[in-house]
C-alpha cells in the first residue's frame, strides 16, 4: 500500500526526522512491481536505515524492503547454501546460523541493518567480509521490475564496496542473498587482536566454537560502539583510507606509533578513527551531534540533531584530517 508524506524518524538509526513523499513496504517481487508501476520516480530502497544520513525530505518513492525467509537450499557433507530474504535483520540471521551450527558469519555478529543491504557495502568486521561467504544474490530491477541474478564476480566486491555502490547504484532492490556456510570443520577466525583478547577475558580456554566467537564479537561491539537504541548513530561514518605506504611512513616520522595495516601493492590501510582522534575530535560535542567518546570513527546524535548538522560536523572532520595529515577521508554512510 502506498503511503504519502511518511515520517522516517523510526526507520533510521541516526534518529533523524525526514519525510518520504511516497512510501511502500514491499515483501515480494509482485509488491515491488505494483509499487513501481505508478511511475513515481526517483525510487530508493530502505533496509534497516543503519547506514543512512537523511539531510532532506525524500522526493519520489521509498521502498522499505521486508522480503523475508531463511532456507537451506543445498547441502554437502561440510557445508550448505542458505537463501535469505533481503528484508531479514542481519544479526537475527547470524544468531539463527550460530544456533544451527552454521559457520562463516559469526565474526559479523551485531552489525545493524538488513541482509539485503549487506552485499551493497560488503559489510565486514573482525577479519571477515561478506564476500568470504557470498554465493549469489537475486535483485529486482527498479525500472523494469525484472529479476536478475548476480554472482560473486558480478558484484565486484571491494573494501566496503561493490557494483551496487558504483555502476548499479540505486538501480536494484536486493530480494535475496545466498550464502555458503560450513556445517563442520568451521574456519574459526581469531586473527583480529581484539577477539583473542576477549576470548581470554570471557574465560574461553578450549578452542573457541562459532558461538564463542559470536559472543566475543557481541562483547567487543557492545563496549566500543554506541547502541543505536540509546544513542543515534550509523556505525563507522568514514571508510578507513587505503593509501600508498609512503604516506604512512611520512606520518610515522612525526607519530612513530601511528597504526596501519599492510595491503598488497605497497599500499596501507590507516584507521580513520586514529586520524580523527589525533585531530582532537574524539568525544567532542558540537551542537546536538558529536564524535563518539570510545570510537572516533562514529558520529552520534545526542538528541534532536539534524542531518545537515551531522554533515557539517563530518565536513569539518574531513577538513581537519586533510589539513593535519594530507589524507582525504571519505564517508562510508549514504548521505541522502
Ligand atoms: N583507533 C583509534 N582511535 C579511535 C578508534 C580507532 O586510535 O577512536 C585505532 C586504534 O589503533 C585501533 C584501530 O584504530 O586499534 C582499529 O579500530 P577498530 O578495531 O575499532 O576498527 P576500525 O578500523 O575503527 C573497522 C570497521 C568497523 C568494524 C571494525 C572491526 C570500517 C570503516 N570500520 O573499524 O565497521 O566493526 O573495523 O573489524 O572499516 C562499520 O562499518 O560501521 C563498522 C563499525
Amino acid at each position: 500500500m502506498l503511503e504519502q508524506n511518511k515520517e522516517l524518524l523510526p526507520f533510521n538509526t541516526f534518529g533523524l526526522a525526514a519525510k518520504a513523499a511516497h512510501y511502500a513496504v514491499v515483501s515480494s517481487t509482485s509488491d515491488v512491481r505494483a509499487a513501481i508501476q505508478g511511475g513515481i520516480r526517483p525510487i530508493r530502497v530502505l533496509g534497516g536505515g543503519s547506514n543512512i544520513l537523511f539531510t532532506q525530505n525524500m522526493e519520489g518513492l521509498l521502498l522499505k524492503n521486508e522480503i523475508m525467509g531463511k532456507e537451506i537450499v543445498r547441502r554437502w557433507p561440510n557445508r550448505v547454501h542458505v537463501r535469505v530474504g533481503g528484508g531479514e535483520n542481519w544479526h537475527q540471521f547470524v544468531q539463527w546460523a550460530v544456533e544451527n551450527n552454521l559457520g562463516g558469519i559469526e565474526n559479523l555478529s551485531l552489525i545493524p541493518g538488513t541482509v539485503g543491504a549487506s552485499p551493497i557495502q560488503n559489510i565486514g568486521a573482525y577479519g571477515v567480509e561478506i564476500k568470504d561467504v557470498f554465493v549469489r544474490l537475486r535483485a529486482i530491477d527498479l525500472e523494469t521490475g525484472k529479476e536478475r541474478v548476480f554472482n560473486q564476480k558480478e558484484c565486484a566486491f571491494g573494501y566496503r564496496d561493490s557494483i551496487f555502490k558504483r555502476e548499479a547504484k540505486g538501480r536494484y532492490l536486493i530480494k535475496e542473498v545466498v550464502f555458503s556456510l560450513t556445517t563442520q570443520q568451521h574456519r574459526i577466525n581469531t586473527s583480529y587482536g581484539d577477539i583473542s583478547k576477549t576470548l581470554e577475558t570471557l574465560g574461553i580456554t578450549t578452542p573457541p566454537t562459532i558461538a564463542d566467537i559470536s559472543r566475543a564479537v557481541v562483547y567487543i561491539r557492545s563496549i566500543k560502539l554506541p547502541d543505536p537504541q540509546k544513542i543515534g548513530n550509523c556505525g563507522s561514518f568514514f571508510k578507513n583510507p587505503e593509501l600508498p605506504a609512503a604516506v604512512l611512513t611520512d606520518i610515522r616520522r612525526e607519530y612513530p606509533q601511528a597504526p596501519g595495516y599492510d595491503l598488497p601493492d605497497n599500499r596501507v590501510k590507516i584507521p580513520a578513527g586514529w586520524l580523527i582522534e589525533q585531530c582532537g575530535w574524539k568525544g567532542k560535542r558540537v551542537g546536538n551531534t558529536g564524535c563518539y567518546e570510545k570510537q572516533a570513527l562514529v558520529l552520534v546524535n545526542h538528541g534532536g540533531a539534524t542531518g545537515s548538522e551531522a554533515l557539517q560536523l563530518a565536513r569539518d572532520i574531513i577538513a581537519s584530517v586533510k589539513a593535519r595529515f594530507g589524507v582525504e577521508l571519505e564517508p562510508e554512510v549514504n548521505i541522502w
Side-chain angles (χ1 to χ4, degrees), residues 220-236:
I220 301 167
R221 292 189 75 101
S222 311
I223 290 175
K224 273 204 176 169
L225 298 167
D227 176 354
Q229 305 276 10
K230 296 185 187 134
I231 177 157
N233 75 92
C234 33
S236 300

Side-chain angles (χ1 to χ4, degrees), residues 13-49:
T13 61
F14 205 85
L16 297 168
K19 287 195 165 74
H22 306 270
Y23 173 90
V25 172
V26 291
S27 47
S28 65
T29 300
S30 50
D31 281 357
V32 175
R33 288 179 182 155
I36 68 176
Q37 73 174 11
I40 303 168
R41 301 289 183 271
I43 306 172
R44 294 175 199 251
V45 180
L46 186 64

